């Protein structure tokens, strides 16, 4: 499969970027190495998914320097122009975390451009690895990729100690970058309806990526009188993030869309009760939790109120999460499935 040059893994920007997609890429590289298969990182420019003509020319140069087969992260591949996709498509498998055009906050015109570029690029690829069954369905339906050219390699989890989930007042945890797609505005709207209930909220994830949205979110917290109960913790290193999960009593995932929902899976494996939206793959990943329709702040409030009020309900929800978490794949499973797909598509 790999040939003398091995498999190049092309990723835009800094591989250490804090996000679910980059975390997946890092673990895939590490677990493939543990299985004796090297994925050689190729750093592309950090301009994706909005590359300039110069960025695309530099991308072609960097990919041409690796003559072997390629796995290309969809954050870049979905934004390739026709010339770049055609230059490498015959030796490429695309890794799609979620369609670029479904990122929240895009203009209709920009979303249409990304949808067309990703459709054209994926048509050139030998195959597509996706991170969830829901994304597999989207790739087939939106972009016309035949199902036999799609393989699913869901993110894995590391086994972790069970969280006590018995705090009083309960600590709510949400994990993900402070951007519109993560739905924190819906969460604040829901919690403003629960000001009479005992709780505190910790939002863990990078800030500064969507400044206007973040400013509006902080203003909404202040307007609701929740400043003393809502904390924006920012991005945390792994040990501190583990402590945040361990000290939480309930996990909330209000995202409008997720390609998988890695943070929710981390909550399940620790036995945290989960309240989540059904956006994208999240309804599958968090099926053991309480699911709410996207954009439904009232629904989130209604789902949260009984869990906040009744420890017995939280314990029962925690038990469901613990059982579901035990069934989740490990990262070695993820790598095995991805490598098998590469073998099938690139041979």
């Amino acid at each position: 499969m790999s040939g003398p040059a091995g498999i190049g893994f092309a990723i835009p920007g800094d591989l250490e970027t804090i996000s679910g997609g980059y975390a997946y890429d890092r673990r895939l590289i590490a677990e493939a190495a543990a299985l004796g298969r090297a994925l050689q990182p190729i750093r592309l420019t950090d301009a994706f998914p909005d590359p300039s003509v110069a960025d695309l020319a530099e991308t072609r140069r960097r990919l041409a320097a690796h003559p072997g087969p390629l796995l290309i992260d969809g954050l870049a591949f979905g934004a390739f122009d026709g010339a770049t996709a055609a230059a490498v498509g015959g030796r490429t498998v695309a890794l799609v975390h979620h369609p670029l055009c479904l990122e929240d906050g895009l203009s209709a015109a920009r979303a249409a451009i990304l949808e067309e570029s990703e459709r054209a690029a994926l048509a050139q690829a030998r195959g597509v690895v996706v991170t969830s069954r829901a994304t597999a369905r989207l790739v087939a339906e939106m972009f016309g990729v035949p199902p036999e050219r799609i393989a699913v390699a869901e993110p894995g989890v590391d086994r972790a100690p069970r969280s006590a989930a018995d705090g009083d007042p309960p600590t709510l945890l949400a994990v993900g970058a402070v951007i519109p797609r993560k739905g924190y505005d819906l969460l604040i709207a829901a919690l403003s309806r629960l000001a009479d209930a005992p709780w505190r909220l910790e939002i863990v994830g990078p800030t500064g990526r969507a400044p206007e949205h973040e400013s509006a979110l902080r203003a909404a917290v202040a307007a609701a009188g929740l400043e003393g109960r809502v904390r924006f913790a920012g991005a945390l290193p792994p040990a501190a993030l583990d402590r945040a999960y361990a000290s939480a009593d309930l996990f909330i995932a209000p995202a409008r869309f997720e390609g998988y929902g890695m943070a929710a899976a981390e909550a399940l494996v620790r036995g945290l009760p989960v309240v989540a939206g059904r956006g994208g793959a999240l309804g599958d990943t968090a099926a053991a939790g309480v699911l709410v329709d996207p954009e439904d702040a009232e629904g989130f409030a209604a789902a949260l109120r009984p869990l906040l009020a009744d420890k017995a309900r939280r314990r029962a929800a925690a038990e469901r999460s613990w059982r579901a978490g035990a069934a989740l794949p490990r990262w070695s499973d993820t790598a095995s499935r991805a490598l098998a797909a590469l073998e099938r598509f690139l041979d």
Side-chain angles (χ1 to χ4, degrees), residues 100-101 110-120 142-143:
L100 297 178
C101 61
R110 181 60 184 151
I113 290 170
L114 286 171
E115 182 175 355
E116 181 52 38
S117 69
E118 193 154 13
R119 180 183 295 108
M142 292 181 64
F143 304 126

Side-chain angles (χ1 to χ4, degrees), residues 189-209:
L191 292 175
S192 69
R193 294 166 165 83
L194 300 173
D196 61 314
W199 55 266
R200 60 180 296 274
L201 170 66
E202 182 145 339
I203 296 174
V204 175
T207 57
R209 294 185 178 177

Side-chain angles (χ1 to χ4, degrees), residues 211-327:
E212 291 184 7
H213 171 75
E214 186 176 330
S215 294
L217 190 61
R218 292 178 185 273
V221 170
L226 302 178
E227 287 175 297
R229 304 174 73 178
V230 177
R231 176 174 179 255
F232 292 88
L236 296 180
L241 181 57
D242 284 341
R243 289 194 294 272
Y245 277 108
S247 61
D249 303 296
L250 199 154
F251 186 86
I252 310 178
R256 293 176 165 90
F257 181 88
E258 290 285 12
Y260 178 72
M262 290 171 61
E266 293 289 345
L268 291 173
V269 81
R270 290 168 169 83
L272 280 173
V274 172
V275 176
R278 291 187 175 89
L282 199 50
D284 293 334
T285 304
V290 180
L291 299 179
V292 180
D293 290 335
E295 304 290 351
D296 187 1
E298 188 64 49
F300 271 101
L304 285 167
R305 185 173 287 281
L307 291 169
L308 294 174
D310 188 341
K311 278 194 174 184
R313 283 179 180 266
R314 289 209 301 277
R315 283 195 293 270
E319 184 61 29
R320 290 192 296 273
S321 291
W322 181 248
R323 291 197 300 268

